[in-house]
Amino acid sequence: MGDKKKLLFVFNPFSGKAQIKNQLLDIVDTMVKADYQVTIYPTQASGDAIHKVEEEAGEYDLVVCSGGDGTLDEAVTGMMHREKKVPLGYIPAGSTNDFATSLKIPKEMAKAAETAVKGKPFACDIGAFNEDYFVYVAAFGLFTSVSYKTSQEWKNVLGHAAYILEGMRSLHDIPSYMMQVEYDNIRLQDEFIYGMISNSTSVGGFKGMTGKDVLLDDGVFEVTLIKTPRNPIELNEIIACLINLVDDTDMIYSFKTDKVVFTSKKEVPWTLDGEFGGNQVSVTVQNLCKAVEIMVPEEE
């Protein structure tokens, strides 16, 4: 028999209405039946999972985390801080789990636990954001300042943007950021109300803009930047595009790249995977291709 494989299970006990409480036994049982010696660790505070994974992952064959996108983000960040990385399983328990959807990880926790221990490792791109990391989206502008306070379904985020824009009584209500954006030897200087760098099939919903061929391991991000409308006609053009009535508009830049640099004179608040990412004047976002292995279901 020899030594059993070792598994570290880090979970947020309060995530998604604390539904893990009812499932914990089944999850751990699944792990033990897959022949793992299991160490369980309920996170005690925000940022806790980062330190736990960073400091201890090397002693295990597999790390599994459970919680919302924020918990996954912390586990990935902890893993990125390490030289020696181990595969990461993810059991979604939050209210929104866009990333799990992109990776076809089952929504039911017991099935997701099975994927975590019996699936196959998939090397996934990770975003480096200055000194920080994100798994599927970094964004600034329009309602991002509130999105990490309210649980925001990212997949409806651009429809939501249209809704908010329609609710604006005047264009002066919209915070606007003058920025320089550099990528692939291109330099844009413009004023933006929203920007999003994503690595996910479930973020947004631009028909033909981010395209159908969004891959999570292709080394590039999808970048979407919405310009500041100067008049009601431009505003309506943006709204029409966001709710998929129009495919193309000069008001929205959309491109793919592996590195993009944002510079502004004023501080811009960002969010990373729906959590606050700080107020920044200079941001470098880089795609770290296939940086972390995440357990996904074996193909049928």
Side-chain angles (χ1 to χ4, degrees):
M1 292 299 281
D3 294 334
K4 274 201 168 168
K5 297 174 293 184
K6 294 170 82 170
L7 186 158
L8 172 63
F9 180 37
V10 178
F11 65 94
N12 178 350
F14 303 111
S15 197
K17 307 187 184 64
Q19 63 207 83
I20 191 158
K21 288 198 170 71
N22 310 327
Q23 313 252 356
L24 193 57
L25 281 174
D26 287 344
I27 290 169
V28 173
D29 190 55
T30 299
M31 292 168 169
V32 171
K33 283 190 166 68
D35 223 28
Y36 280 99
Q37 185 180 329
V38 183
T39 303
I40 63 173
Y41 182 77
T43 57
Q44 303 299 303
S46 174
D48 199 14
I50 299 178
H51 307 300
K52 189 75 180 171
V53 172
E54 181 178 351
E55 283 153 28
E56 297 184 20
E59 298 158 36
Y60 296 89
D61 301 287
L62 178 65
V63 174
V64 178
C65 68
S66 181
D69 286 341
T71 306
L72 174 66
D73 182 273
E74 286 193 16
V76 165
T77 298
M79 198 64 82
M80 291 303 297
H81 289 164
R82 301 184 47 83
E83 276 293 285
K84 176 182 183 284
K85 296 181 176 52
V86 298
L88 193 59
Y90 178 39
I91 301 174
S95 38
T96 66
N97 296 292
D98 285 335
F99 202 67
T101 309
S102 294
L103 292 172
K104 299 185 172 60
I105 293 171
K107 287 194 170 46
E108 298 89 47
M109 296 181 82
K111 284 189 178 151
E114 208 145 293
T115 296
V117 291
K118 291 186 178 154
K120 56 171 189 200
F122 167 78
C124 188
D125 295 351
I126 300 296
F129 178 95
N130 291 351
E131 303 300 300
D132 211 336
Y133 299 95
F134 65 94
V135 183
Y136 70 99
V137 66
F140 70 84
L142 206 59
F143 65 75
T144 49
S145 54
V146 291
S147 74
Y148 49 81
K149 295 189 183 74
T150 59
S151 143
Q152 197 5 292
E153 281 269 11
W154 272 103
K155 60 176 75 68
N156 303 330
V157 91
L158 296 167
H160 189 70
Y163 170 76
I164 288 190
L165 283 171
E166 284 191 289
M168 297 279 181
R169 277 182 203 80
S170 78
L171 296 173
H172 307 298
D173 295 344
I174 308 173
S176 179
Y177 305 97
M178 175 57 86
M179 291 173 119
Q180 179 175 286
V181 184
E182 295 169 274
Y183 69 100
D184 302 347
N185 298 327
I186 294 170
R187 179 181 292 177
L188 310 171
Q189 181 104 29
D190 224 317
E191 224 169 300
F192 301 105
I193 53 173
Y194 183 66
M196 171 171 88
I197 299 113
S198 64
N199 181 38
S200 170
T201 48
S202 64
V203 176
F206 279 127
K207 275 194 309 214
M209 289 194 74
T210 49
K212 305 267 181 294
D213 50 345
V214 176
L215 302 167
L216 303 177
D217 61 348
D218 58 359
V220 292
F221 290 127
E222 285 67 44
V223 181
T224 302
L225 304 168
I226 302 179
K227 283 160 60 164
T228 305
R230 304 264 170 245
N231 55 53
I233 294 167
E234 289 188 345
L235 178 62
N236 287 336
E237 201 178 304
I238 291 170
I239 290 168
C241 196
L242 292 174
I243 54 183
N244 287 336
L245 295 176
V246 191
D247 263 358
D248 199 25
T249 163
D250 295 341
M251 296 302 298
I252 299 179
Y253 294 103
S254 186
F255 54 89
K256 295 186 181 203
T257 183
D258 63 349
K259 182 181 179 182
V260 55
V261 179
F262 295 86
T263 334
S264 52
K265 289 200 165 60
K266 290 192 298 201
E267 288 195 332
V268 178
W270 284 77
T271 84
L272 304 176
D273 296 336
E275 309 280 323
F276 186 49
N279 294 307
Q280 314 281 354
V281 289
S282 172
V283 165
T284 300
V285 176
Q286 208 155 353
N287 185 301
L288 305 172
C289 189
K290 304 186 180 182
V292 170
E293 291 191 321
I294 297 181
M295 302 302 288
V296 300
E298 291 277 8
E299 254 104 56
E300 297 301 299

